[in-house]
Amino acid sequence: EPEVTQTPSHQVTQMGQEVILRCVPISNHLYFYWYRQILGQKVEFLVSFYNNEISEKSEIFDDQFSVERPDGSNFTLKIRSTKLEDSAMYFCASSGTGGGLFFGSGTQLSVL
Amino acid sequence: GIQVEQSPPDLILQEGANSTLRCNFSDSVNNLQWFHQNPWGQLINLFYIPSGTKQNGRLSATTVATERYSLLYISSSQTTDSGVYFCAVARYQKVTFGIGTKLQVIP
């Protein structure tokens, strides 16, 4: 069964450093998303991406965040200057024309 | 933005018991999904159910879109059902999650 894959599974970084989280969505999907989940809290929408541009973003997705689809398979989330409060599980998701979100296993980001 | 409320927030069940989880949402939606977050943090898609009823083994779900709610039924619960159950609704390209129901099934 096709799946969304995310790398790395864990990332530890120092405050102020840049991180790039990587995702490979399901190959025939057209819509891509990033979500985050702070420990013990609900899953929060960050951004959606379609046709090589951002289609929707939340208040959380400020100027320190950016997304890119550098080639035909990868979808990345960059955090330019990490803060302690960016520590969370980051989930990538994709969906196709049939609807329904498919999530990756997540990247646990720890900012020290 | 759209509000998603889930109830109950916490639930403890004896193995073998049945339960119903509820999701209310404040506006019309294009899509609704139920997810199970297992103890390892993975989000497992249970149902894509913008309307109607679906069943998959011991789980079933019903969404009444006109009344803005969805129900997830778990029958004959097992310890492996433990975790957090999230309802997520989509309005256009933005998906909003509820805060979840934390389920613990004890032997």
Side-chain angles (χ1 to χ4, degrees):
Chain A
E1 186 176 321
E3 59 180 21
V4 177
T5 57
Q6 288 187 244
T7 55
S9 55
H10 294 87
Q11 174 90 49
V12 181
T13 190
Q14 294 290 324
M15 193 169 57
Q17 295 297 301
E18 174 184 286
V19 293
I20 297 177
L21 310 183
R22 303 181 191 278
C23 170
V24 178
I26 293 173
S27 62
N28 61 348
H29 282 182
L30 301 175
Y31 302 90
F32 314 116
Y33 310 83
W34 283 101
Y35 290 81
R36 79 172 186 192
Q37 185 181 32
I38 295 170
L39 184 64
Q41 299 185 22
K42 71 175 182 179
V43 180
E44 299 174 292
F45 169 78
L46 292 178
V47 65
S48 60
F49 193 86
Y50 171 71
N51 202 24
N52 285 320
E53 60 183 27
I54 291 173
S55 50
E56 186 94 37
K57 62 181 181 178
S58 72
E59 318 75 61
I60 303 167
F61 194 86
D62 61 21
D63 291 343
Q64 69 161 340
F65 291 94
S66 62
V67 290
E68 196 176 34
R69 187 155 165 81
D71 53 43
S73 59
N74 290 284
F75 180 52
T76 62
L77 174 69
K78 182 192 289 186
I79 309 175
R80 273 183 252 287
S81 177
T82 50
K83 305 171 193 168
L84 295 175
E85 55 264 36
D86 293 328
S87 295
M89 178 77 91
Y90 288 80
F91 291 102
C92 173
S94 68
S95 65
T97 53
L101 286 176
F102 292 81
F103 280 85
S105 298
T107 294
Q108 180 65 55
L109 176 65
S110 298
V111 182
L112 306 178
Chain B
I2 195 166
Q3 304 299 313
V4 181
E5 295 178 355
Q6 288 188 246
S7 58
D10 296 278
L11 185 59
I12 299 175
L13 292 177
Q14 199 76 43
E15 198 170 23
N18 304 327
S19 65
T20 302
L21 280 56
R22 187 177 180 102
C23 172
N24 292 331
F25 43 98
S26 61
D27 207 340
S28 59
V29 297
N30 308 109
N31 177 18
L32 186 146
Q33 281 181 269
W34 283 97
F35 293 93
H36 175 217
Q37 188 167 40
N38 64 23
W40 296 271
Q42 293 177 306
L43 284 166
I44 310 299
N45 181 30
L46 297 176
F47 293 102
Y48 166 66
I49 185 165
S51 64
T53 297
K54 290 186 178 179
Q55 179 152 10
N56 184 4
R58 295 181 296 103
L59 302 181
S60 63
T62 295
T63 297
V64 184
T66 52
E67 297 187 22
R68 299 180 184 166
Y69 73 89
S70 183
L71 303 173
L72 177 70
Y73 306 95
I74 304 174
S75 64
S76 304
S77 57
Q78 300 176 357
T79 55
T80 51
D81 295 332
S82 296
V84 183
Y85 289 80
F86 289 104
C87 166
V89 301
R91 188 168 168 78
Y92 306 109
Q93 290 303 311
K94 186 173 179 180
V95 176
T96 303
F97 279 70
I99 200 148
T101 292
K102 187 173 182 181
L103 172 65
Q104 185 180 358
V105 181
I106 53 177

